[in-house]
Amino acid sequence: MQFSLGSVRQWHWISAAFALVGMLLFSITGITLNHAADIKTTPDVQLLEVELPTTLVSRLKKHADQAIESDQTKVPTALKTWLSQVHSIQVSSTAKAEWNEDELYIVQAGPGFDAWLAVDFYSNQLTYESTNRGWIAYFNDLHKGRDTGVVWGWFIDFFAVICVIFCLSGLILLCRQANHRWMTWPITLLGVLAPAILLLAFVH
């Protein structure tokens, strides 16, 4: 079954419309990633050391035995609520808890930031540290899919498929209009040869 020129054009402009924002994002972050060492940023580090209420620590100790036996990684709701209400610290649903008899250790990460939290069951001491690396790091991590979750990973796959459709439909249009534009294939060939020559000559 052959596609008409109109249907190929439709595939091309629809895929272009879908890919517009994503292509701009991934192109710009491709530049920032390529020059990551040249872009100087100062991470915003926040540190909190505080003593937990005795009642909360007691609840965590009771929960520890069960969590260790079941190898549970979920952060207790009571601790999340206390952190949110008292210190405005939000613990994400993707945060992972590691339990032992002496300590609760929590780690969480997202695009552009990471944080860890430790609770000492003997001293009732809570230590929290978060590092925010800024907007450039945030968008760079979106580009890489680093700590962005399953849904963003699906979007990257969807975007990649859309880009393939955009390129292939564009190639079909080039083939159909090449007779009217003599520079079509020389420019296309240059686009193929240029990266190949650079790889052979400069990348080892």
Side-chain angles (χ1 to χ4, degrees):
M1 181 178 180
Q2 294 184 342
F3 288 104
S4 66
L5 185 59
S7 65
V8 173
R9 282 178 175 169
Q10 287 177 345
W11 278 102
H12 192 64
W13 77 257
I14 291 173
S15 60
F18 268 117
L20 175 61
V21 173
M23 197 171 293
L24 286 172
L25 170 66
F26 280 88
S27 297
I28 294 171
T29 52
I31 296 173
T32 57
L33 280 168
N34 196 39
H35 295 276
D38 302 320
I39 301 174
K40 305 301 181 183
T41 60
T42 302
D44 179 18
V45 180
Q46 294 184 344
L47 179 64
L48 173 68
E49 293 182 343
V50 65
E51 186 174 334
L52 286 175
T54 305
T55 54
L56 179 55
V57 175
S58 298
R59 294 179 64 179
L60 294 176
K61 286 181 178 179
K62 290 179 181 179
H63 189 78
D65 294 334
Q66 179 182 356
I68 293 171
E69 290 180 2
S70 60
D71 197 22
Q72 187 180 123
T73 60
K74 186 177 180 180
V75 179
T77 303
L79 179 60
K80 292 172 66 174
T81 302
W82 184 84
L83 288 169
S84 176
Q85 293 178 349
V86 179
H87 296 285
S88 299
I89 294 174
Q90 305 299 324
V91 179
S92 71
S93 58
T94 59
K96 302 296 183 183
E98 300 176 10
W99 299 83
N100 60 53
E101 295 179 354
D102 303 325
E103 183 185 56
L104 165 62
Y105 182 78
I106 299 171
V107 61
Q108 67 175 352
F113 87 96
D114 54 73
W116 63 269
L117 181 152
V119 177
D120 189 316
F121 292 149
Y122 291 98
S123 65
N124 293 5
Q125 187 79 10
L126 177 145
T127 304
Y128 171 83
E129 181 178 306
S130 68
T131 303
N132 189 323
R133 297 184 300 278
W135 285 105
I136 293 178
Y138 175 85
F139 286 108
N140 284 349
D141 285 348
L142 290 183
H143 183 112
K144 296 182 289 184
R146 175 185 178 270
D147 299 316
T148 53
V150 175
V151 175
W152 183 257
W154 291 343
F155 168 76
I156 293 177
D157 291 340
F158 172 76
F159 170 72
V161 172
I162 292 297
C163 286
V164 170
I165 293 173
F166 174 73
C167 292
L168 293 180
S169 59
L171 179 61
I172 294 173
L173 291 175
L174 284 177
C175 292
R176 294 187 173 184
Q177 298 182 17
N179 292 334
H180 307 290
R181 298 175 182 174
W182 69 272
M183 284 294 292
T184 296
W185 296 124
I187 293 176
T188 303
L189 183 61
L190 179 62
V192 174
L193 291 179
I197 292 173
L198 291 174
L199 285 171
L200 292 173
F202 299 105
V203 180
H204 303 286

